[in-house]
Each structure stands twice: as structure tokens, then as C-alpha cells.
Amino acid sequence: NGDLDITVGIDKRKVSEEDEEDTTQIQQDPVQLSIFAHRFMGIAEQMGRTLQRTAISVNMKERLDFSCALFTKGGCLVANAPHIPVHLGAMERAVRYQVEYWNSEGREGLRDG
């Protein structure tokens, strides 16, 4: 599946049982952790630059009044870009709610991609 599970220390919380078998663990390796953290942060920052470049709204284009982040398919925050960090406090919970809502009974669910 290509999922990546980065675990630091001994706290091994799982997002879901199905994710466990298809993940690669990077445990207690600060170099690899730093490399992946910077890669994921770079992806979030590139999302922000694209959003800024294509935005019509002055708030988004000039004031950078938006947030971009990467999440796991369970809704956990992986990396965020430093645009307006005030959004990040509620963003993870909002994404988790959407994941739960769209994956609940009677809905088609979220697909990879």
C-alpha cells in the first residue's frame, strides 16, 4: 500500500488495525525522522504556494490566510505548512470528523488519493 508509519520512542499507538500490516516503521532513528519530516513539510509548503499562486481572494493571495497540511487516512496530522498556524488547533479534529462521517454506514467512504 505504500503507507509509512514513523514511530519515535516507545509509544506505539496505531491509527487502525488495517494500517499495521502495510506500514514501514522508522523507529528511533533521528536522521530518517528528520528527512521524512522535512519532505512532508516541503509537500505542505508546496501546496500552500500553489494555493497562493492560483487564489483569487486577496486574503489568500496576499495575507496567506489559509493552512495546508498532510494527514493520515485516519485523520492524524503528519505535517503542516506555517501559513496561519491558528487553524491547526482545530484542523486535526475537523479532518478526523470528516473521515469518521464519510466512512460511516450508508456512505461511500473516502478513497486513497
Side-chain angles (χ1 to χ4, degrees), residues 56-73:
I56 296 172
S57 169
V58 174
N59 282 340
M60 295 177 75
K61 196 171 203 67
E62 295 179 11
R63 295 180 54 218
L64 304 181
D65 191 7
F66 59 85
S67 292
C68 293
L70 297 176
F71 295 88
T72 65
K73 64 181 170 181

Side-chain angles (χ1 to χ4, degrees), residues 12 18 21 30 33 38 46 62 67 77 85 92 95 113:
K12 295 182 181 179
E18 63 194 34
E21 62 191 42
L33 180 62
H38 283 89
Q46 183 64 38
E62 295 179 11
S67 292
L77 181 67
E92 184 172 3
V95 170

Side-chain angles (χ1 to χ4, degrees), residues 26-91:
I26 299 173
Q27 296 180 353
Q28 298 176 341
D29 186 346
V31 174
Q32 282 189 335
L33 180 62
S34 178
I35 289 169
F36 281 105
H38 283 89
R39 282 184 176 181
F40 295 143
M41 187 93 155
I43 291 168
E45 289 174 1
Q46 183 64 38
M47 289 167 50
R49 283 193 293 271
T50 301
L51 187 57
Q52 179 187 10
R53 189 176 62 248
T54 60
I56 296 172
S57 169
V58 174
N59 282 340
M60 295 177 75
K61 196 171 203 67
E62 295 179 11
R63 295 180 54 218
L64 304 181
D65 191 7
F66 59 85
S67 292
C68 293
L70 297 176
F71 295 88
T72 65
K73 64 181 170 181
C76 296
L77 181 67
V78 174
N80 62 283
H83 298 108
I84 301 290
V86 70
H87 299 148
L88 296 174
M91 189 183 293

Side-chain angles (χ1 to χ4, degrees), residues 5 16 24 51 79:
D5 181 23
S16 68
T24 302
L51 187 57

